[in-house]
Amino acid sequence: MYVHFTEEDNITRYPALDQMTDNPFHLWEDHSKGSSMLTIASGFLNDEQFYMSILFMIYASQIINIFAIIANSFNIAVFIKLGFSEPSNISLTALAVCDFTLAVLYTWSNLCFWLTYHNIRLPFHGINVSYLTGNAQFAFLSTTVAWITAFISFERCLCILVPLKVRRLITPRGTFVAMLIIILLTFCPSFFTYIRYKFVWVFNPYLNVTILNTISVNSELAILFENISIVICGVIQPLLAFSIVLICTVLLVVQLKKISSWRMSVTSAKSQQVQPKDNPAARSSAAEARISQKEERLVRMVVAIATIFIVNYFPTCITLLCYVIFDEFNLFGVYRRLYIVSGYVITLGQPISGSVNILIYYKLASKFRTVFRRLVRLDRQEQERHELE
């Protein structure tokens, strides 16, 4: 599709184009439907505060994104080597794949913004095109991560509350189906965005080039699809998933305290009654203790993942609530700059959560640590060092 705008059309449609040499952030205003009210509305942030906040988060997030891409690449490789006989490995692999994809999408969006800020000529409109190829998918995929985390937390709760029935309730095949359903219900609605917005080729008379841009389709059906997807997948689902993770994490923490108290009481009782090593009862008690410790480590790992998720996802919940409560808190409202900055704060938390998980796995999961060390050849390096000594 090709669209040609005259100079007068471009000024009417994109009023900031005539100021592009003075304002490197002109493309932010390009997205404001040509409203002169919006181009001067700053909300709580002036020009300098807005620009510096965005730039700081852009550079900080790029560093975190690179680490998240590397970390989740290792996570995926380790879980593949561990196999998928355990349901937890399937859900953790799905989480790693989503975190990896989020980091890639955010890196692409940041790159487009950075090139736009430095007025580097691109064959496409950096901000608008990156919205359809990165930001929109990022928003929906973050909801997918939230529901996968909720599923993992709920699974661990079942393991604690109904340990004898959990193997029948949570199976590898059932977990795989659950991951597919979560992805279909949370990420696939992002494709409704392409009903509302479309790619077009636009001639820019100021640059004397034709670039790829986007236009909005103002049909009632397209607007209806967008509003439904935003409300359900962008507001209701994230808040519901966050609530599930929060409730399950509280339950797991309470159960961890009970397990720790029970183990201390058992240890105290055993210290007072010494049993011979060849006693079958002693061997059985030792086996039960090892199993319970293994489950406790797994629960602690899930609690750590969920806690980091809650801390990083809390700003998302606050932003969503503000979006629902305040009419002017949106991309085209008076507080659009504050809305944009809060959006970058949200997207900054996602790669942080995804990049820290590998440290939790390495610390609390012995099988993960063993395979990871073999993968990066740490065991061989230590062996060679000992041989030299």
Side-chain angles (χ1 to χ4, degrees), residues 116-357:
T116 300
Y117 174 76
H118 289 282
N119 283 328
I120 296 176
R121 294 189 180 185
L122 300 171
F124 55 88
H125 189 298
I127 301 300
N128 291 353
V129 171
S130 69
Y131 172 77
L132 288 185
T133 57
N135 292 340
Q137 288 73 24
F138 184 97
F140 285 92
L141 193 58
S142 62
T143 305
T144 307
V145 171
W147 275 105
I148 292 176
T149 308
F151 179 87
I152 295 172
S153 303
F154 180 71
E155 177 195 8
R156 282 301 98 193
C157 278
L158 289 180
C159 291
I160 294 295
L161 299 176
V162 286
L164 299 179
K165 298 180 180 179
V166 70
R167 289 192 176 275
R168 288 181 294 175
L169 296 174
I170 306 295
T171 62
R173 180 177 297 180
T175 302
F176 181 77
V177 172
M179 294 299 103
L180 288 180
I181 293 174
I182 289 174
I183 293 172
L184 288 175
L185 293 180
T186 57
F187 178 67
C188 289
S190 66
F191 293 101
F192 285 127
T193 306
Y194 298 100
I195 300 176
R196 181 71 169 88
Y197 302 97
K198 295 186 180 297
F199 292 106
V200 295
W201 290 99
V202 178
F203 177 75
N204 189 323
Y206 292 91
L207 300 177
N208 195 28
V209 293
T210 299
I211 63 173
L212 184 66
N213 206 334
T214 63
I215 61 171
S216 59
V217 179
N218 295 321
S219 67
E220 294 183 0
L221 182 61
I223 296 174
L224 177 64
F225 274 121
E226 183 187 34
N227 291 336
I228 291 175
S229 63
I230 289 176
V231 172
I232 296 178
C233 301
V235 178
I236 297 176
Q237 286 189 355
L239 293 177
L240 182 59
F242 179 83
S243 301
I244 293 174
V245 174
L246 185 61
I247 293 171
C248 290
T249 303
V250 172
L251 291 175
L252 289 174
V253 170
V254 172
Q255 291 299 322
L256 275 177
K257 291 184 177 180
K258 290 183 178 180
I259 292 172
S260 299
S261 300
W262 171 82
R263 182 170 289 112
M264 290 178 63
S265 62
V266 170
T267 303
S268 177
K270 286 182 179 180
S271 63
Q272 297 177 3
Q273 182 179 0
V274 180
Q275 296 179 346
K277 293 183 179 180
D278 58 348
N279 191 335
R283 290 197 300 269
S284 177
S285 299
E288 291 177 0
R290 285 197 298 270
I291 293 173
S292 62
Q293 288 176 358
K294 177 183 175 182
E295 288 294 327
E296 184 180 357
R297 285 196 300 269
L298 188 55
V299 171
R300 289 185 183 278
M301 184 181 73
V302 173
V303 168
I305 295 172
T307 302
I308 293 174
F309 169 81
I310 290 170
V311 172
N312 287 292
Y313 209 77
F314 185 74
T316 301
C317 296
I318 298 298
T319 302
L320 291 176
L321 290 175
C322 291
Y323 179 81
V324 173
I325 296 173
F326 303 105
D327 293 335
E328 295 296 331
F329 187 75
N330 55 66
L331 188 60
F332 308 116
V334 174
Y335 304 111
R336 65 190 303 267
R337 290 184 173 180
L338 187 60
Y339 174 80
I340 292 171
V341 171
S342 64
Y344 269 91
V345 172
I346 291 172
T347 51
L348 185 61
Q350 294 292 341
I352 292 175
S353 179
S355 59
V356 171
N357 286 344

Side-chain angles (χ1 to χ4, degrees), residues 15-64:
L17 283 174
D18 59 343
Q19 301 173 356
M20 63 180 300
T21 57
D22 298 327
N23 181 10
F25 279 80
H26 62 88
L27 290 178
W28 279 115
E29 308 304 335
D30 186 3
H31 216 4
S32 62
K33 293 185 177 180
S35 172
S36 59
M37 171 70 179
L38 297 176
T39 57
I40 62 174
S42 60
F44 294 109
L45 300 175
N46 57 35
D47 289 347
E48 184 178 359
Q49 292 172 340
F50 173 66
Y51 301 155
M52 295 306 297
S53 299
I54 293 295
L55 282 178
F56 171 78
M57 285 183 285
I58 286 287
Y59 287 111
S61 63
Q62 282 298 79
I63 297 173
I64 300 172

Side-chain angles (χ1 to χ4, degrees), residues 332-382:
F332 308 116
V334 174
Y335 304 111
R336 65 190 303 267
R337 290 184 173 180
L338 187 60
Y339 174 80
I340 292 171
V341 171
S342 64
Y344 269 91
V345 172
I346 291 172
T347 51
L348 185 61
Q350 294 292 341
I352 292 175
S353 179
S355 59
V356 171
N357 286 344
I358 189 173
L359 304 178
I360 298 173
Y361 301 152
Y362 188 86
K363 179 68 175 179
L364 298 176
S366 58
K367 289 184 178 179
F368 181 93
R369 181 167 58 251
T370 301
V371 175
F372 178 81
R373 293 178 69 86
R374 291 175 182 173
L375 190 65
V376 298
R377 301 179 181 274
L378 285 177
D379 290 336
R380 180 175 296 180
Q381 291 175 6
E382 288 185 0

